[in-house]
Amino acid sequence: MTSPGDVARRLARLHERIADAGGDPDAVRVVAVTKGFGPEVVTAALAVGVVDVGESYAQELRAKAEALTSAPREAAPRWHFVGRLQTNKVARLASLVEVWQSVDRVSLVRQVSAHTTSARMLVQVNVSGEPSKGGCPPDEAPALVAEARDRGLEVAGLMAVGRAGASEGARPGFRLLRELADQLGLAERSMGMSRDLEVAVQEGSTMVRVGEALFGPRPSRISRTRAGAGVGSNLGELRRT
Ligand SMILES: *Cc1c(COP(=O)(O)O)cnc(C)c1O
């Protein structure tokens, strides 16, 4: 279980890690990535003052947003979409998502601009060259940024996922993202997750996206399916047990 007290303690530790890496904990924004956890961790994040909340799957984001509307509304999270995005999911997410972090192709720029005028976006760049990762090739980032600006979207910055494996291996990619953002005059550099945030902060991250460092180990996919990802499948649970 993840209690608000646990999250408060882990957030303090996270701020220490950012400071130890030479970052300013007041300046590096923390986006709490809640994928795989239940809606209660969103409430816990809000309770400790983390209002930026990220999700990777469209259905999970919608389910959590719905679960939270019935809860007392102190403050609503500012939803970031951080996962692989399909163009046909944009319409149903547009009323919820405030920051589109994973825009990596022209068709997505068009969809986002067709459904919203106020959202901010980041262009995701594949800085590691790993085919399994989302993001446009680095040399396509300028054209995507230009396309988005032409359509009146606010491009806040760039986003990248660090190379898998030892965190040090992510450094060249993070450095490249920083350079690209500077060249394009973009202020935000969303890079760094629980395992590689020190390297990201050293390379100039302005926004870290963290799940496990705030909420503990992510439940396995199997137990998540059992729990129905929190979308009203108690019946299924009963039948199985
Ligand atoms: C899951 C995820 C994160 C957070 O990962 P943790 O290891 O839990 O910190 C960050 N960014 C993206 C794009 C993710 O999919």
Side-chain angles (χ1 to χ4, degrees):
M1 274 310 288
T2 306
S3 75
D6 291 336
V7 176
R9 226 170 306 114
R10 292 202 191 96
L11 180 63
R13 176 74 195 113
L14 182 64
H15 284 159
E16 269 171 31
R17 288 177 63 188
I18 291 170
D20 289 349
D24 175 357
D26 293 327
V28 177
R29 187 182 297 274
V30 171
V31 178
V33 178
T34 56
K35 66 155 186 267
F37 296 99
E40 72 283 355
V41 303
V42 180
T43 310
L46 293 171
V48 297
V50 175
V51 297
D52 291 281
V53 176
E55 273 294 335
S56 302
Y57 301 101
Q59 192 181 334
E60 209 178 321
L61 191 156
R62 288 176 55 88
K64 273 175 208 161
E66 261 162 48
L68 290 168
T69 51
S70 55
R73 216 180 221 289
E74 306 94 12
R78 184 185 297 137
W79 290 108
H80 294 236
F81 196 85
V82 303
R84 283 286 183 106
L85 184 56
Q86 294 166 273
T87 48
N88 64 2
K89 297 282 165 56
V90 170
R92 303 194 69 205
L93 288 173
S95 62
L96 295 168
V97 172
E98 287 186 54
V99 186
W100 302 85
Q101 291 221 8
S102 47
V103 176
D104 62 359
R105 53 195 190 276
V106 169
S107 58
L108 275 175
V109 172
R110 294 194 179 134
Q111 273 304 103
V112 170
S113 77
H115 289 97
T116 157
T117 50
S118 61
R120 311 169 76 203
M121 60 172 261
L122 308 181
V123 167
Q124 184 179 355
V125 183
N126 184 335
V127 292
S128 69
E130 293 162 291
S132 60
K133 294 231 156 72
C136 67
D139 61 350
E140 288 175 17
L144 273 182
V145 171
E147 175 84 22
R149 284 176 172 160
D150 283 351
R151 289 170 178 269
L153 291 171
E154 184 196 344
V155 184
L158 302 180
M159 180 273 228
V161 175
R163 172 174 277 282
S167 62
E168 200 52 43
R171 191 181 297 280
F174 289 155
R175 191 164 292 177
L176 174 61
L177 196 82
R178 165 81 197 249
E179 286 166 8
L180 269 174
D182 287 351
Q183 283 164 21
L184 294 165
L186 297 170
E188 296 286 355
R189 303 174 289 264
S190 170
M191 52 192 201
M193 318 197 329
S194 297
R195 64 181 177 80
D196 57 14
L197 68 93
E198 280 86 356
V199 174
V201 166
Q202 286 161 7
E203 296 301 331
S205 173
T206 59
M207 200 186 274
V208 292
R209 308 176 310 271
V210 289
E212 298 201 326
L214 275 180
F215 306 123
R218 190 168 280 114
S220 72
R221 274 179 193 278
I222 292 167
S223 57
R224 268 194 257 163
T225 314
R226 289 238 172 87
V231 240
S233 62
N234 289 339
L235 212 58
E237 172 76 358
L238 279 174
R239 279 201 202 106
R240 236 180 265 112
T241 50

